[in-house]
């Protein structure tokens, strides 16, 4: 079992920056990848970024070049540094941990409760 708690959300002006954190606890060794997702009111939850291993990162086209995902293994913390924020980045941001059982290939997802990011014009 993996538990995730996001923090760092808030209100920021367009063009500004914000860094989200996700504290991870539990069976961290079972996690194959960490990801960030976001969801705006009335919209589906969209994938934002992912990190596997130490620094294999990938991003959605909408945030590429503006957001950076990273992890601090010593502190069991995942980060999402967001810069050049736009009003369309306004959403609840969720941290996700993906674990795949090596024997069964069964995937298990753990989610945090989310943190609100609001970008004002």
């Amino acid at each position: 079992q993996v538990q995730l708690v996001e923090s760092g959300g808030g209100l920021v002006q367009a063009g500004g920056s914000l860094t989200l954190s996700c504290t991870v606890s539990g069976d961290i060794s079972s996690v194959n990848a960490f990801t960030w997702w976001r969801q705006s009111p009335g919209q589906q939850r969209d994938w934002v970024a992912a990190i596997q291993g130490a620094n294999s990162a990938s991003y959605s086209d909408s945030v590429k070049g503006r957001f950076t995902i990273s992890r601090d293994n010593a502190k069991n913390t995942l980060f999402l540094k967001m810069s050049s924020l736009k009003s369309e980045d306004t959403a609840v941001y969720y941290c996700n941990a993906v674990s795949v059982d090596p024997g069964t290939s069964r995937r298990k997802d753990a989610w945090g409760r989310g943190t609100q990011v609001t970008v004002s014009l």
Side-chain angles (χ1 to χ4, degrees):
Q1 295 284 353
V2 177
Q3 295 80 42
L4 307 165
V5 179
E6 303 94 337
S7 62
L11 176 64
V12 61
Q13 287 188 327
S17 299
L18 202 62
T19 297
L20 305 182
S21 300
C22 175
T23 302
V24 186
S25 60
D27 187 13
I28 299 172
S29 63
S30 69
V31 178
N32 299 96
F34 290 100
T35 70
W36 285 97
W37 293 67
R38 65 186 182 185
Q39 187 169 21
S40 303
Q43 303 296 317
Q44 66 182 16
R45 191 172 295 188
D46 292 325
W47 173 74
V48 174
I51 187 166
Q52 288 182 289
N55 54 14
S56 178
S58 55
Y59 302 91
S60 67
D61 288 341
S62 62
V63 307
K64 195 175 297 182
R66 300 188 298 121
F67 289 13
T68 302
I69 187 171
S70 63
R71 60 190 292 181
D72 184 333
N73 291 331
K75 297 182 179 180
N76 292 337
T77 303
L78 180 72
F79 300 99
L80 184 68
K81 182 177 181 180
M82 308 182 292
S83 59
S84 302
L85 283 163
K86 308 174 182 180
S87 58
E88 51 262 45
D89 294 319
T90 295
V92 177
Y93 284 72
Y94 297 90
C95 178
N96 162 256
V98 180
S99 302
V100 179
D101 187 295
T104 66
S105 298
R106 181 178 177 181
R107 171 175 171 155
K108 184 181 295 184
D109 285 80
W111 294 90
R113 294 186 175 183
T115 185
Q116 175 72 47
V117 172
T118 303
V119 183
S120 64
L121 295 173

